[in-house]
């Protein structure tokens, strides 16, 4: 379920829905491909392509930390820097847009899982995904025939985390 913290001065906390990993296996060079986020409605609101292309590369540059799971609001309050035991990797490329990516249109990047996480990702990669933790600004409006939050700007990226995806 989506958990959001109180809106800080810089915008609303955003946790995006699960995005499946692009590749199941860790490549020979130790990297994996990930789809960071795609356009459309997510659990936090509507993300337009223009917002994603403009803001994702700025707030999630190469070197963005990837944790094994999202911190709970209590964990984030008590340890805003994150837990080293859950630091599972980093992105190694700047995000880039693909119209025809393996998991559909969206922002993609390459990532390098750390140590003991790499074999786990190699084994369960097709059953997990990634999800962003970011701060953003929104308005209320309509997109694709639906009313709700329209994400106007992603202000700050916290991490791109590995998460479980619900069975479909």
């Amino acid at each position: 379920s989506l958990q959001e913290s109180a809106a800080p001065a810089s915008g609303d906390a955003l946790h995006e829905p699960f995005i499946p990993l692009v590749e199941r296996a860790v490549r020979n060079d130790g990297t994996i491909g990930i789809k960071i986020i795609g356009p459309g409605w997510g659990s936090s609101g509507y993300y337009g392509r223009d917002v994603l292309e403009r803001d994702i590369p700025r707030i999630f540059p190469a070197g963005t930390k990837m944790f094994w799971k999202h911190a709970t609001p209590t964990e984030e309050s008590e340890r805003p820097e994150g837990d080293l035991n859950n630091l599972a990797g980093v992105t190694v490329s700047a995000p880039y847009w693909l119209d025809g990516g393996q998991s559909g249109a969206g922002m993609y990047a390459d990532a390098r899982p750390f140590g003991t996480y790499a074999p786990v990702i190699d084994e369960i990669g097709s059953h997990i995904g990634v999800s962003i933790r970011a701060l953003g600004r929104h308005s209320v409006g309509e997109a694709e025939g639906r009313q709700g939050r329209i994400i106007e700007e992603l202000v700050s990226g916290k991490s791109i985390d590995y998460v479980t995806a619900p069975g479909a």
Side-chain angles (χ1 to χ4, degrees):
S1 69
L2 172 69
Q3 296 193 6
E4 297 185 7
S5 59
S10 62
D12 294 333
L14 302 173
H15 294 259
E16 220 3 64
F18 306 115
I19 303 294
L21 295 177
V22 174
E23 296 187 14
R24 180 181 184 277
V26 176
R27 300 175 190 138
N28 290 338
D29 68 357
T31 65
I32 60 172
I34 60 170
K35 180 179 180 184
I36 299 170
I37 189 172
W41 282 98
S43 57
S44 295
Y46 180 81
Y47 293 82
R49 176 180 175 162
D50 58 334
V51 169
L52 298 179
E53 283 189 288
R54 181 191 69 212
D55 296 342
I56 293 293
R58 178 176 47 79
I59 68 170
F60 292 117
T64 295
K65 288 181 174 70
M66 299 182 73
F67 290 93
W68 192 238
K69 59 185 177 180
H70 281 322
T72 66
T74 300
E75 291 168 334
E76 194 166 342
S77 173
E78 292 175 355
R79 191 184 305 253
E81 71 280 6
D83 183 339
L84 284 176
N85 293 316
N86 291 325
L87 184 58
V90 294
T91 60
V92 294
S93 74
Y96 51 92
W97 182 268
L98 286 178
D99 281 318
Q102 186 172 347
S103 294
M107 297 300 302
Y108 286 77
D110 293 327
R112 182 172 49 88
F114 294 148
T116 59
Y117 291 103
V120 174
I121 290 167
D122 198 35
E123 181 179 347
I124 68 171
S126 64
H127 303 286
I128 63 174
V130 298
S131 178
I132 67 170
R133 288 189 329 128
L135 299 175
R137 300 182 200 288
H138 75 276
S139 62
V140 176
E142 183 178 333
E144 298 179 358
R146 182 174 159 191
Q147 291 272 63
R149 289 187 201 181
I150 307 298
I151 308 303
E152 295 177 344
E153 179 183 16
L154 293 168
V155 177
S156 174
K158 292 184 171 193
S159 62
I160 302 170
D161 301 336
Y162 296 100
V163 292
T164 60

